[in-house]
Amino acid sequence: MADALTLAGGVLNPSRPRAVEAGSVRLVRERGDMAALLPQWQDLEAADGQAGLFQSPGWASAIFDFEAGRGNTNFDPVIATAWQGTDLVALLPLERVSTGMRRVLVPLGHAFAQYSDLLIRPGTDGPLVLEQMVAALSAAVPADTLSFFKVRDGSSLSVALPPERVVTGEEQGAPFVDLSGFADFAAYFHTIKAKTRKNMRNARNRLERDGAVHHLVAETAADQGAIIGRTLAGRAGRLKQQGLTSRAFRDGGFADFCASLPGREGLSLLAFSLTHGDQPIAEQWGFVHGGQYYAYVASRDFAIAEESPGKLHLGEVIAAVQERGVQGCDLGVPAMPYKLTWATLTVPVRDHVLPLTLRGRLLVGLWDVRLRPLLKSVAMRLPPGLRTRLMGLVHHGH
């Protein structure tokens, strides 16, 4: 492969016992080399058992193509792959970014991805493979830190991370709906508290007295694009109203990236709209990958918040994806009340940082662990306008 580095047996801690034979690590940097890797990547996904959307070749291709399309000359991707002979045993898609403080290795498409994770073949020593990958990355793609945003407890990456990683920020929760034990939506719905089911029926009845309530599953790229546009506008407006920001919405290209996704090969997108009369009152879209639905962006009409449109709509979404054979719904962070109504469990999610240089260690200790949480705490007590500015500074340090 062009622009690939092979590091045979390269490890950070050679004294540690080996559970598997040390393999080799290759760093893939180019779009063509990534495409050539597709068969092995798909085979690894099938073997992994918990492969996530944001480590899939479909997601990586969407990121590569979008960055090329907008002429982003600062886009610096690096996909770490680990091999045992001709078998791909692990894959970690990353990119290198520069902030005002440091150079950082982050998950590929970090501004738009929901989770960080490591693809790994069962029976492979995760900590060892990650250690080899970090050694290869440090040699070929120098950076001060390796930052993993939103790592789910129990994921392959969380298990592989070394003791010296630093947990930053506050623990969050990702509500999840496990549908695997239910024959249909009615069986699952019966597990929701009786009072909650009654309240939702009453809310829908009140809405229907004023106009028909319909649920649409958008099938065409045009209809999906319309829902995507409305949810992004609604979400951006809500963030502005609250004086908040997010990594995705700070990127001026987020709306264009989302608009590029309907009909894209390698990604299975679904979009949903709950209407009252002829007006959308709650909408959502996301992806199906590996038998699981990933909610991505949602918006709702807060003018009728007392009728819980988000809660009503989420039930419709879950029913629709279950009909399509989905076994689980990842509702994403944060763990908002309307999500918790439907969730069967909530997965803890944390940010982790691996310092790679002395500068990195100093910045993690000073900024990530001390100053950034303090600034965030101060920002949350400010009026919305001032809060937005300070929250932008809080996020910039990553």
Side-chain angles (χ1 to χ4, degrees), residues 4 83 114 162 179 278:
W83 300 78
Q114 287 182 323
L179 298 169
D278 59 354

Side-chain angles (χ1 to χ4, degrees), residues 300-335:
R300 57 193 187 276
D301 185 352
F302 286 92
I304 57 168
E306 68 277 5
E307 306 299 357
S308 303
K311 186 186 298 183
L312 292 175
H313 186 219
L314 189 51
E316 298 279 3
V317 170
I318 294 169
V321 298
Q322 189 180 31
E323 288 179 0
R324 286 161 170 76
V326 165
Q327 295 295 300
C329 300
D330 189 316
L331 305 182
V333 297

